[in-house]
Amino acid sequence: MGFFVYCNVRFLVSMLLCFCWWNLPVFSQSSNADWWKSTTVYQIYPRSFYDSDGDGTGDLNGIIQKLDHIKDLGIETIWISPFFLSPQRDFGYDISDYRSIAPEYGDMETCLKLIEEIHARDMKIVFDLVMNHTSDEHAWFKESSFNRENEKADWYVWKDGRGKNGQKPPNNWKATIGGSGWHWHEGRKQFYWASFLDFQPDLNYSNPEVKSAMLDVARHWLSKGVDGFRLDIFNSIYEDASFRNNPASLRIVPSEESPDGFFQQMKYNVNQEGSFRFATELRAVVDSFQNPARFMVGEVFGDVETTKKFCSYNGKDGLHTIFLFKTLSTPFKAKKWRKMVEEFEHNFAEPFVPTYVFSNHDRRRSITPLDNDVRRAKLLAFFQFTVRGIPFTYYGEELGIEKPLLPLKTGLDPLAQRYKSIPQFMVNLTGQSLNRDECRTPMLWDSTQNAGFTSGKPWLPISQNFRNKNVQTQERDSVSLLNFYTRIINFRNENPILQDGTLAIAKELCNRKVFAFYRELNEAKVLVLLNFSGQEINSEGFSSELIFSTHSTNNINTLLPFEGRILKLQ
Ligand code: NOJ
């Protein structure tokens, strides 16, 4: 019986998509080489997606078993966080062998099968490439740290200390997460530099051998058919060649737009010219693989003028796109979002393609700042799939998974462990999460024990309200968030205007409650309206043929609370 209900809802959704909505040519205008410009991306945190062998953590086989969920959503590209050999102290972002698969996730055969299965569904696969640092258990670091004379002696960023006994760090540089980023190594009687955590030593890219070894890693996976890379903390690749001290700053906490913090300007350890140049060198390698063309998105932090230097403006000299994190600090209000979109449209006008970030494995769940309100979560998704740019969806956002409150003290996340002396009430007061476990809880598949994620003991707790937030339950509910995601993503897929059209703010229609913009492609033009308020709004002044609504409504004259709608203008 349940199965039939499920089939019927999915059937109805597809019928609606086929017949009720506006029919423009089905194929996107982007050429094959530009597939990434019009794609949609789903991020999988492999540890939390689906556990196929009952050990409590997700695995590659589990991903293969659940690929149809992503395909059914209408998503075209999958980015998977790292699953390579690793001591897992930072859950895979500390790699000890770039060409091997961590046994808890699977083996090479399963990895190749995963690539194949994704391609068989006409989707793309993007790996997570951590080029900046390795694990301190990587054979390269073991050799490099053995003494000062070995073949890999210069593969990491080693420096003598200052002071009488050389026990003071070489300069004042702070790690991204605070505290000196220099760590004493007893074997070499020297310091090594780590931009992030102490067990993640930075590779030394001024050594050509290192660069060439890491470019080979990229080639290795590209030749296995991987369609591109998400590049981890790519703005930390190079350091200042003469290791000058960073100037002082009044800033305490770094933000998305400025890595400055802990009372210093991160002038000489991030966003160096060498890193911008390296983006272009990497691009050349990636572009040497064609049919299909490949893609790169960079995780970089800094002001727009600086971070834009990582991007390609001529289609060949840098990364395809970079994450724009300002979304995370912008309150979900009509005026604020208008301002943010205006800024991004100005700074990342064609040929750039903006990539707004709504959540990921480091931040939060996107429904958290929306007071866990599903109506607003639908509006957010509506924005994400109608605005110009590449939409990235973190696993579970389609269900509205909520962030639990997990104490710092018992956190598995190494950042939680690092900050565990901060009293919990202070953390709660800030409303910020210092424990990344909170946004990494398991995917919710059904109403059975452990939400169908594992038959074993889940590595992180299952969301308390999993019984009504899981995939199976939401598939059966025609107005669920999940069915909304399916509807809006498929609508976007079928309407090239939303993928490739230009965007112009509809200034005359924007106000405190409403944000509106036009999308235009060739002869076609649509108006996208978003009601950020909980009130009905008279929309007689801007009525036209309604071709999509977050709600089920035919009332052209009233914009419902938190409604998003698309009107066909020509
Ligand atoms: C950024 C990644 O997103 C995060 O999860 C990781 O801990 C650090 N980089 C270090 O690789």
Side-chain angles (χ1 to χ4, degrees):
M1 163 68 185
F3 178 67
F4 285 111
V5 176
Y6 156 61
C7 288
N8 287 342
V9 171
R10 281 258 153 150
F11 176 73
L12 273 175
V13 171
S14 342
M15 294 305 279
L16 274 173
L17 289 165
C18 291
F19 298 119
C20 299
W21 305 116
W22 183 33
N23 278 320
L24 275 179
V26 166
F27 298 106
S28 154
Q29 302 259 315
S30 304
S31 69
N32 195 23
D34 286 344
W35 62 266
W36 56 274
K37 286 190 178 175
S38 56
T39 199
T40 43
V41 186
Y42 188 91
Q43 182 195 352
I44 293 180
Y45 195 65
R47 212 174 176 80
S48 299
F49 199 57
Y50 184 59
D51 174 17
S52 71
D53 58 9
D55 66 358
T57 59
D59 45 57
L60 298 189
N61 216 358
I63 298 178
I64 295 175
Q65 289 181 31
K66 295 294 187 185
L67 283 179
D68 288 337
H69 167 71
I70 305 169
K71 180 72 185 171
D72 288 349
L73 273 170
I75 293 281
E76 293 171 351
T77 299
I78 300 176
W79 149 33
I80 310 182
S81 286
F83 47 82
F84 311 104
L85 198 67
S86 156
Q88 303 292 342
R89 289 182 68 190
D90 191 15
F91 299 116
Y93 283 93
D94 48 332
I95 295 172
S96 52
D97 183 351
Y98 289 89
R99 294 165 199 242
S100 302
I101 308 304
E104 55 269 56
Y105 289 131
D107 53 21
M108 190 55 74
E109 202 185 325
T110 321
C111 172
L112 298 179
K113 183 166 175 227
L114 174 66
I115 299 175
E116 199 182 304
E117 292 282 341
I118 289 179
H119 286 160
R121 286 168 177 78
D122 204 16
M123 294 194 282
K124 308 270 188 203
I125 175 160
V126 167
F127 276 11
D128 205 319
L129 200 55
V130 185
M131 300 190 103
N132 177 68
H133 52 266
T134 68
S135 155
D136 59 358
E137 291 187 29
H138 195 295
W140 296 343
F141 188 74
K142 287 187 183 160
E143 188 175 343
S144 185
S145 57
F146 190 66
N147 57 32
R148 298 189 190 194
E149 282 85 44
N150 65 78
E151 280 187 6
K152 303 250 177 327
D154 195 27
W155 276 47
Y156 291 82
V157 185
W158 294 102
K159 286 293 270 178
D160 288 332
R162 288 173 302 156
K164 241 204 219 145
N165 309 319
Q167 296 272 343
K168 277 192 178 164
N171 65 21
N172 70 353
W173 294 357
K174 298 265 166 66
T176 326
I177 48 169
S180 173
W182 291 104
H183 305 279
W184 175 253
H185 193 279
E186 198 46 42
R188 277 187 59 145
K189 304 248 179 288
Q190 269 187 318
F191 285 86
Y192 66 88
W193 169 246
S195 295
F196 206 68
L197 286 154
D198 59 337
F199 54 82
Q200 292 162 314
D202 276 37
L203 284 161
N204 175 17
Y205 278 83
S206 56
N207 179 341
E209 286 176 20
V210 170
K211 198 194 282 186
S212 132
M214 287 308 292
L215 291 177
D216 275 350
V217 170
R219 284 190 195 96
H220 173 78
W221 287 115
L222 292 167
S223 66
K224 300 242 179 276
V226 168
D227 297 290
F229 301 114
R230 174 264 186 191
L231 302 162
D232 192 66
I233 51 170
F234 198 74
N235 60 334
S236 299
I237 295 275
Y238 274 86
E239 296 78 31
D240 174 51
S242 44
F243 294 87
R244 283 168 280 184
N245 274 326
N246 277 333
S249 154
L250 288 178
R251 280 176 65 91
I252 306 175
V253 186
S255 66
E256 277 69 32
E257 291 94 58
S258 167
D260 297 349
F262 315 109
F263 299 107
Q264 72 177 224
Q265 291 171 43
M266 304 289 173
K267 185 169 175 187
Y268 294 118
N269 55 330
V270 296
N271 293 328
Q272 302 298 295
E273 285 301 323
S275 300
F276 305 137
R277 277 198 303 272
F278 185 58
T280 295
E281 291 172 60
L282 185 57
R283 176 65 180 260
V285 169
V286 166
D287 278 356
S288 66
F289 289 79
Q290 290 295 329
N291 300 318
R294 316 297 163 99
F295 157 75
M296 291 186 289
V297 52
E299 184 197 37
V300 296
F301 302 98
D303 61 69
V304 171
E305 285 317 309
T306 310
T307 51
K308 216 169 137 177
K309 294 188 192 164
F310 285 104
C311 288
S312 172
Y313 53 91
N314 61 4
K316 59 183 168 74
D317 277 347
L319 309 184
H320 297 75
T321 185
I322 54 170
F323 287 127
L324 303 174
F325 291 100
K326 195 169 182 177
T327 19
L328 297 173
S329 54
T330 305
F332 195 62
K333 298 216 157 73
K335 277 192 159 173
K336 303 268 183 202
W337 279 61
R338 171 193 167 172
K339 190 162 170 268
M340 178 183 73
V341 173
E342 262 169 358
E343 262 176 50
F344 284 164
E345 279 299 309
H346 173 74
N347 293 318
F348 292 90
E350 285 275 353
F352 298 109
V353 186
T355 302
Y356 296 68
V357 177
F358 299 91
S359 57
N360 65 26
H361 62 290
D362 292 329
R363 304 293 157 149
R364 58 170 197 212
R365 284 290 175 184
S366 63
I367 203 166
T368 308
L370 308 179
D371 299 329
N372 296 327
D373 179 349
V374 173
R375 296 170 308 166
R376 292 158 88 204
K378 281 186 187 168
L379 188 65
L380 181 72
F382 175 79
F383 168 80
Q384 185 182 0
F385 291 99
T386 52
V387 75
R388 195 174 75 84
I390 309 170
F392 274 67
T393 300
Y394 182 46
Y395 82 96
E397 296 299 37
E398 71 276 28
L399 306 175
I401 292 189
E402 292 171 19
K403 176 181 89 68
L405 199 61
L406 300 177
L408 272 184
K409 270 206 173 63
T410 49
L412 302 179
D413 173 21
L415 286 191
Q417 287 167 17
R418 185 185 168 98
Y419 298 125
K420 69 177 170 213
S421 54
I422 301 180
Q424 189 68 43
F425 79 90
M426 280 176 66
V427 180
N428 299 351
L429 275 180
T430 65
Q432 299 294 321
S433 174
L434 289 179
N435 181 0
R436 296 179 298 175
D437 293 352
E438 290 179 339
C439 57
R440 297 171 177 177
T441 58
M443 179 68 174
L444 310 174
W445 294 105
D446 58 39
S447 310
T448 63
Q449 206 193 3
N450 296 328
F453 163 69
T454 179
S455 57
K457 184 177 179 304
W459 78 288
L460 282 178
I462 304 286
S463 298
Q464 279 185 345
N465 55 359
F466 74 93
R467 290 216 155 73
N468 46 36
K469 284 253 167 172
N470 63 70
V471 173
Q472 198 182 52
T473 310
Q474 294 203 34
E475 273 176 340
R476 292 171 182 160
D477 171 4
S478 61
V479 295
S480 67
L481 185 58
L482 174 61
N483 274 320
F484 177 71
Y485 264 79
T486 309
R487 198 153 71 78
I488 184 66
I489 297 172
N490 281 286
F491 187 81
R492 182 184 190 276
N493 292 346
E494 286 163 12
N495 290 288
I497 198 167
L498 295 179
Q499 303 161 31
D500 303 319
T502 56
L503 186 148
I505 309 280
K507 292 190 180 127
E508 67 287 8
L509 302 176
C510 291
N511 55 42
R512 214 163 39 81
K513 295 178 180 166
V514 175
F515 172 42
F517 52 85
Y518 300 106
R519 302 292 311 266
E520 205 169 340
L521 184 68
N522 304 328
E523 298 300 293
K525 187 170 181 180
V526 294
L527 170 63
V528 180
L529 285 165
L530 298 98
N531 179 3
F532 276 69
S533 82
Q535 284 112 48
E536 290 190 353
I537 291 174
N538 183 329
S539 55
E540 275 170 71
F542 38 93
S543 53
S544 184
E545 190 188 340
L546 178 62
I547 55 169
F548 188 95
S549 167
T550 44
H551 295 48
S552 132
T553 176
N554 298 319
N555 187 347
I556 196 78
N557 294 326
T558 309
L559 204 50
L560 297 171
F562 302 114
E563 185 186 349
R565 58 169 57 170
I566 307 175
L567 303 172
K568 181 182 175 187
L569 298 183
Q570 61 196 42

